[in-house]
Amino acid sequence: MDNNALAQLLFPDVTQTPEDMNARFPKRELPDNACVTRIGPSPTGFVHLGNLYNAIIGERLAHQSGGVFYLRIEDTDNKREVEGAVETVINAMSYFGVNFDEGATADGDNGIYGPYRQRQRKDIYHVFAKLLVEQGKAYPCFMTAEELDAIREQQTANKENPGVYGKYAKNRDLTLEQIKENLAAGKEWVLRFRGVETDEYICVEDAVRGKLEMPRNNMDFVLLKSDGIPTYHFAHVIDDHFMQSTHVIRGEEWISSLPMHVELFNTLGWEMPIYCHTATLMKMDGASKRKLSKRKDPELALSYYQQEGISKDAVWEFLLTLLNSNYEEWRIANPDADYREFPYTVGKMSVSGALVDLDKMTDISKNVICRMSAQTVFDNWLEWCEQYNTEYAELIKKYPERTLAALNVGKGGAKPRKDIETWKQACDFMSFYYDEKFTVADEMPEECDEATRKLFFAKYLETYDHSDDSSAWFDKVKAITEELGFAVKPKDFKKNPEMFKGSIVHITNMLRIALTGHANAPDIHEVSHVLGEDIVRARLNTWV
């Protein structure tokens, strides 16, 4: 076989050389040990939690080391591509605070190592496809889908490994004349790598999993599809070489493909990046774990966290607890630090399935939001409402001072209140601060019958002075409590219940329900001053 003639026959328009590609993509000027990482999502319109999980790893490795983090769109499968999907990916990553130094943008590309969309890099791939043909390492394959199906059926029946290799690589040894005849007949072809029949094993040091040993590739796998667009296997090797990725972060489902990638790097004479195969995202299903499912589990989609109003900072912190086993210890020791200060390391990642526990995420979210300033909470809540709850967005903008004051309630002290879990739940929790949304949800205490309620609220309003400080206000509440035959000290009621109608707990709960609609609410004195005297008197008067 005249491999040069074959290469020219298959790629007559390819005039550039590997040397031209080397000149086109210069060496990056970066500090020693700087990492270059990327995410490479497919534009299917579905951005999932695993995308963000791997993006955080790449972003941390790059930015902690003074390196580069970039976005590459792996759009080689145009059958799955959804219009607007690239913008969906970019917007989702932006929403969650993942910042790229270069790569694909909504308006094009940012960076000199592009294009950053694989379908636009066809000319680059064809240079190396032609090179592999010239070296006798690749060949055109004209087998039809029906022929491939028949091979799979035979392999299944014989309990053999599936794929095109050995005796099943039926087009591997076509002559140049046979190839010309097939091309002249208009037959579609793919370009296959010429695998090596061997019993050798390869050994790859995975940054997450340690040493991986597996059989060397013997498959004649596809490099270019019939439309001339590369497979993932071929494209990522070329792209990661010329974009100079130092680390490839991807899910463990790609481990089985690693022999093909090692073969390509070795054949092309390029240094291989460090592979980091991350654990699969799992959830509890009864007493057992299973992989998160796109069909069954809404929490797999990143859009779920946006729609539910889960703070992006909470999602980050939750994923960091999955990514490094010592994150929670670090957070306890550094309660006020930015989570980006955490010294993330790949070596502390788990190789078992990462458990996505929404209850744990809610707890983290409460802690994250309670550490925020009232102004930060205000801004984030309003931003969410403007997209997902315009009615509340209008209330926030109508009463900005009251809203900000309300968000400050319980913020002081060593143990700030943790009332807000998500921006969506904040709409429910904050509703009592607005007359337009105020409703009484809880029942009054059984110990406070209608006569007691009327009498208490009448007396409370008689003595109410909006300028009273907390101490003076509470003294008045205690005086009315005692006058109505309720125990001022809860322990007295508990010790001798027959001597009292109830305790001050029942009285203050009654007052709390009348003002907020809920028995569990922030400090009544603080809430009253946020609402203002007119609203306080109007709400209590309905009970007299």
Side-chain angles (χ1 to χ4, degrees), residues 376-396:
T376 300
V377 176
F378 180 100
D379 294 340
N380 280 274
W381 184 34
L382 176 58
E383 181 182 13
W384 182 85
C385 286
E386 285 184 322
Q387 185 169 358
Y388 296 103
N389 192 329
T390 55
E391 190 177 5
Y392 264 89
E394 292 307 310
L395 286 173
I396 295 168

Side-chain angles (χ1 to χ4, degrees), residues 137 161 165 193-204 213-219 221 256-264 266-267:
K137 301 291 178 62
N161 290 331
Y165 59 91
F193 183 82
R194 191 183 296 273
V196 179
E197 292 191 50
T198 176
D199 294 327
E200 291 179 27
Y201 270 65
I202 60 168
C203 181
V204 177
E213 292 187 82
M214 58 192 74
R216 181 182 168 186
N217 172 73
N218 70 335
M219 295 286 172
F221 58 89
S256 61
S257 303
L258 194 55
M260 291 185 278
H261 307 153
V262 171
E263 198 73 29
L264 283 172
N266 289 341
T267 300

Side-chain angles (χ1 to χ4, degrees), residues 1-187:
M1 170 70 75
D2 184 342
N3 291 322
N4 287 328
L6 176 60
Q8 189 60 31
L9 175 67
L10 297 177
F11 301 101
D13 299 327
V14 175
T15 57
Q16 292 185 298
T17 65
E19 290 72 25
D20 293 326
M21 295 300 105
N22 290 332
R24 178 173 166 181
F25 302 110
K27 181 176 173 58
R28 292 181 183 273
E29 298 296 327
L30 294 171
D32 291 343
N33 300 316
C35 299
V36 179
T37 61
R38 47 75 172 172
I39 59 167
S42 299
T44 61
F46 182 71
V47 189
H48 56 80
L49 192 62
N51 294 134
L52 181 59
Y53 181 74
N54 286 339
I56 288 175
I57 300 170
E59 190 275 344
R60 290 291 77 207
L61 285 177
H63 292 158
Q64 285 182 170
S65 64
V68 173
F69 179 53
Y70 67 93
L71 173 63
R72 184 170 75 220
I73 302 299
E74 299 188 343
D75 55 357
T76 57
D77 188 352
N78 64 338
K79 293 178 183 177
R80 298 176 63 218
E81 185 167 351
V82 173
E83 187 176 353
V86 174
E87 288 73 17
T88 300
V89 169
I90 292 168
N91 291 340
M93 291 299 155
S94 175
Y95 177 88
F96 285 98
V98 176
N99 300 310
F100 299 102
D101 302 300
E102 64 183 50
T105 72
D107 302 320
D109 284 341
N110 170 37
I112 65 170
Y113 295 90
Y116 294 90
R117 292 166 172 80
Q118 287 183 329
R119 290 187 72 84
Q120 297 176 11
R121 296 173 67 83
K122 185 175 178 180
D123 63 318
I124 302 169
Y125 306 131
H126 282 206
V127 168
F128 294 94
K130 184 175 183 178
L131 174 68
L132 291 175
V133 173
E134 288 172 345
Q135 294 175 344
K137 301 291 178 62
Y139 67 91
C141 174
F142 298 91
M143 283 196 290
T144 64
E146 291 75 20
E147 289 177 289
L148 293 171
D149 287 341
I151 287 172
R152 273 191 291 272
E153 288 178 13
Q154 185 179 344
Q155 291 169 336
T156 301
N158 296 340
K159 297 183 179 179
E160 297 174 300
N161 290 331
V164 174
Y165 59 91
K167 65 181 181 180
Y168 296 113
K170 297 180 179 180
N171 285 183
R172 178 189 279 188
D173 297 320
L174 294 178
T175 65
L176 187 59
E177 288 306 314
Q178 288 172 315
I179 292 171
K180 287 180 178 178
E181 287 173 9
N182 283 322
L183 292 174
K187 289 186 179 181

Side-chain angles (χ1 to χ4, degrees), residues 191-405:
L191 189 72
R192 289 188 181 274
F193 183 82
R194 191 183 296 273
V196 179
E197 292 191 50
T198 176
D199 294 327
E200 291 179 27
Y201 270 65
I202 60 168
C203 181
V204 177
E205 191 68 28
D206 186 285
V208 176
R209 297 164 185 275
K211 187 179 293 186
L212 297 176
E213 292 187 82
M214 58 192 74
R216 181 182 168 186
N217 172 73
N218 70 335
M219 295 286 172
D220 286 14
F221 58 89
V222 176
L223 298 173
L224 296 181
K225 294 176 281 190
S226 58
D227 59 0
I229 297 298
T231 58
Y232 166 80
H233 310 299
F234 192 39
H236 108 269
V237 166
I238 291 173
D239 292 343
D240 283 323
H241 171 71
F242 284 110
M243 294 178 183
Q244 297 161 48
S245 303
T246 61
H247 295 71
V248 171
I249 299 110
R250 61 188 186 184
E252 63 184 337
E253 67 272 14
W254 289 104
I255 292 176
S256 61
S257 303
L258 194 55
M260 291 185 278
H261 307 153
V262 171
E263 198 73 29
L264 283 172
F265 274 109
N266 289 341
T267 300
L268 292 166
W270 295 337
E271 182 180 356
M272 207 164 60
I274 297 169
Y275 282 97
C276 311
H277 289 97
T278 59
T280 299
L281 296 179
M282 312 283 283
K283 75 174 291 182
M284 293 303 298
D285 192 349
S288 59
K289 281 195 225 179
R290 65 166 173 80
K291 183 179 178 181
L292 276 176
S293 161
K294 178 180 177 180
R295 183 171 56 86
K296 295 181 181 179
D297 306 311
E299 66 268 32
L300 181 59
L302 271 191
S303 58
Y304 169 84
Y305 302 92
Q306 293 174 265
Q307 291 161 8
E308 289 298 306
I310 299 172
S311 163
K312 64 184 179 185
D313 301 305
V315 176
W316 259 82
E317 294 219 21
F318 173 75
L319 290 178
L320 284 170
T321 68
L322 299 185
L323 291 169
N324 267 193
S325 56
N326 62 330
Y327 179 78
E328 289 173 88
E329 292 176 16
W330 176 86
R331 172 49 77 198
I332 291 169
N334 302 275
D336 300 319
D338 188 312
Y339 52 80
R340 292 175 191 268
E341 296 174 20
F342 171 67
Y344 167 77
T345 55
V346 176
K348 288 188 177 292
M349 288 186 65
S350 169
V351 297
S352 60
L355 187 62
V356 177
D357 181 345
L358 291 181
D359 290 335
K360 181 176 181 180
M361 188 178 290
T362 297
D363 287 340
I364 289 173
S365 186
K366 288 180 184 177
N367 289 323
V368 165
I369 293 174
C370 88
R371 289 196 303 266
M372 292 179 180
S373 69
Q375 186 64 58
T376 300
V377 176
F378 180 100
D379 294 340
N380 280 274
W381 184 34
L382 176 58
E383 181 182 13
W384 182 85
C385 286
E386 285 184 322
Q387 185 169 358
Y388 296 103
N389 192 329
T390 55
E391 190 177 5
Y392 264 89
E394 292 307 310
L395 286 173
I396 295 168
K397 289 185 282 190
K398 184 177 179 180
Y399 306 108
E401 293 180 4
R402 187 194 305 173
T403 300
L404 192 57

Side-chain angles (χ1 to χ4, degrees), residues 406-432:
L407 293 171
N408 254 316
V409 172
K411 276 286 182 189
K415 293 185 177 180
R417 288 182 63 93
K418 300 177 182 179
D419 295 307
I420 298 178
E421 301 173 359
T422 67
W423 308 131
K424 184 177 184 178
Q425 177 264 346
C427 296
D428 291 330
F429 174 75
M430 293 286 288
S431 62
F432 67 85

